[in-house]
Amino acid sequence: MKAHRGTRWLPLPTALLLALLSTSASAYPNPGRVTGDTVVHDPSMVRATDGTYLLYSTHGGLEARTSTDRIAFSRSGSAFTAPPSWWRTYSAENDPWAPDISYQGGIYLMYYAVSSFGSSNSAIGLATSPSGRAGTWTDRGIVHSTTGSSDYNAIDPNLFVDSDGKWWLSFGSWWSGLKMIRLDPATGKQYAGDRTVYAIASRPTGTKAIEGPSVVKRNGYYYLFASYDTCCAGTSSTYKIRVGRATGPTGPYYDKSGVNMMNNGGTPVLESHGRYIGPGGQSVMSDVDGDLLVYHYYDGQDNGTPKLGVNLLSWSGGWPTAY
């Protein structure tokens, strides 16, 4: 905050000054304590049936990490030891992005993206595993794809299973924004009875920068979390996490001020503060002590290295607050 030229600052009572400083400093929480191998991008985590935390992230055939206490993480290989042949159609690097891991019907599912930076020639794949562990995944092929002429791209998938048993996959970024399709629970692929590609969030004016959707249902509302602005630029990253809510999975989603997420809406959940730059690439995980916001940030005290962030979420007042 800057004073206008000629403004004379008046001294504030010490108690009020401390209160203002405290409020400012605590606008966004620092990540919870994590140790070990925590250099990740686009993390997704699930608690396995034996209580072990399984964390997967972008690159390296989808890097795998495990933890017994949600604090200390260790590398445990990768989901894929050999790339499926179809990846080459969408990525010269042959390297997948943005995994989304969940446990459904006795098996572990992982949706993931194959693309090249800035391209809409993209595809979302599906893999399954009996244990969720590195090296145990079987690729099930393409779920949804886009071409270079598409006005959206098939990346950053997130599975949402509704209370009525219907499966939905949100995905996408930039261009015309975030999308959603209905899936068939029997196959994990697109549902034959509904081929609609639903539009759920967009930034029609200014930057088109929106990606990484994740959807959860809490207290009768559907909440759409998304990453806004620019990732992958170290300390110059401008990523931030925003949210809106709806009364149905396909929207419309509105922010706390009533602005539609199809028209640049989105209530802030987490933004840059201090050394924690550009938080995003988020997923929401339900655990024994509540909901977790799992994300990466760029460490301003470590040359912008991407690192794991984990915070609990409160739903007091009908909107998520990280703490």
Side-chain angles (χ1 to χ4, degrees):
M1 178 178 179
K2 292 183 179 179
H4 293 294
R5 187 183 299 273
T7 298
R8 181 171 179 266
W9 288 105
L10 298 175
L12 291 171
T14 301
L16 177 58
L17 180 60
L18 289 175
L20 289 172
L21 289 173
S22 175
T23 300
S24 175
S26 62
Y28 296 107
N30 294 341
R33 179 172 174 261
V34 293
T35 64
D37 194 328
T38 60
V39 177
V40 303
H41 211 271
D42 306 320
S44 179
M45 185 164 65
V46 68
R47 188 174 185 179
T49 54
D50 66 359
T52 302
Y53 293 91
L54 308 176
L55 179 76
Y56 283 87
S57 59
T58 287
H59 299 317
L62 301 177
E63 297 175 352
R65 291 167 178 81
T66 62
S67 175
T68 59
D69 59 4
R70 215 174 71 198
I71 295 174
F73 288 85
S74 302
R75 270 301 298 273
S76 58
S78 297
F80 292 97
T81 54
S85 59
W86 65 265
W87 287 5
R88 281 289 183 192
T89 303
Y90 301 95
S91 171
E93 298 84 8
N94 227 16
D95 196 14
W97 297 351
D100 175 70
I101 184 173
S102 64
Y103 182 71
Q104 309 291 342
I107 63 171
Y108 293 86
L109 305 180
M110 187 147 58
Y111 291 90
Y112 63 90
V114 183
S115 186
S116 297
F117 205 77
S119 169
S120 59
N121 181 45
S122 312
I124 292 167
L126 169 64
T128 61
S129 165
S131 68
R133 303 296 177 128
T136 67
W137 294 89
T138 300
D139 188 60
R140 303 299 182 185
I142 297 173
V143 175
H144 190 74
S145 63
T146 49
T147 69
S149 61
S150 301
D151 71 349
Y152 67 97
N153 61 348
I155 66 168
D156 295 357
N158 172 251
L159 173 65
F160 167 67
V161 177
D162 205 349
S163 53
D164 61 4
K166 291 178 182 177
W167 287 26
W168 301 92
L169 191 75
S170 58
F171 60 90
S173 75
W174 296 66
W175 293 295
S176 65
L178 305 180
K179 311 296 180 182
M180 179 179 277
I181 57 174
R182 187 174 168 187
L183 301 180
D184 185 342
T187 63
K189 303 289 186 69
Q190 191 159 5
Y191 180 61
D194 184 355
R195 310 295 293 185
T196 305
V197 178
Y198 297 91
I200 56 175
S202 182
R203 303 181 75 180
T205 58
T207 176
K208 305 296 185 182
I210 183 172
E211 57 192 2
S214 48
V215 173
V216 297
K217 187 178 184 180
R218 296 291 182 270
N219 304 317
Y221 285 101
Y222 298 82
Y223 293 85
L224 170 60
F225 294 76
S227 297
Y228 285 60
D229 297 331
T230 304
C231 82
C232 316
T235 56
S236 297
S237 299
T238 57
Y239 243 16
K240 53 185 66 73
I241 300 169
R242 294 185 178 177
V243 71
R245 72 183 188 185
T247 55
T250 60
Y253 288 88
Y254 296 95
D255 67 17
K256 200 171 184 177
S257 299
V259 181
N260 195 325
M261 289 184 75
M262 284 296 297
N263 190 32
N264 292 310
T267 296
V269 177
L270 199 60
E271 299 190 5
S272 296
H273 58 288
R275 69 184 289 183
Y276 307 104
I277 298 169
Q282 77 293 321
S283 56
V284 177
M285 172 193 164
S286 181
D287 205 356
V288 292
D289 55 343
D291 286 328
L292 305 175
L293 185 67
V294 181
Y295 59 96
H296 69 253
Y297 66 90
Y298 303 93
D299 191 344
Q301 295 182 10
D302 190 17
N303 300 312
T305 300
K307 294 183 179 178
L308 174 64
V310 180
N311 287 93
L312 283 159
L313 284 175
S314 166
W315 296 92
S316 176
W319 291 92
T321 302
Y323 69 97

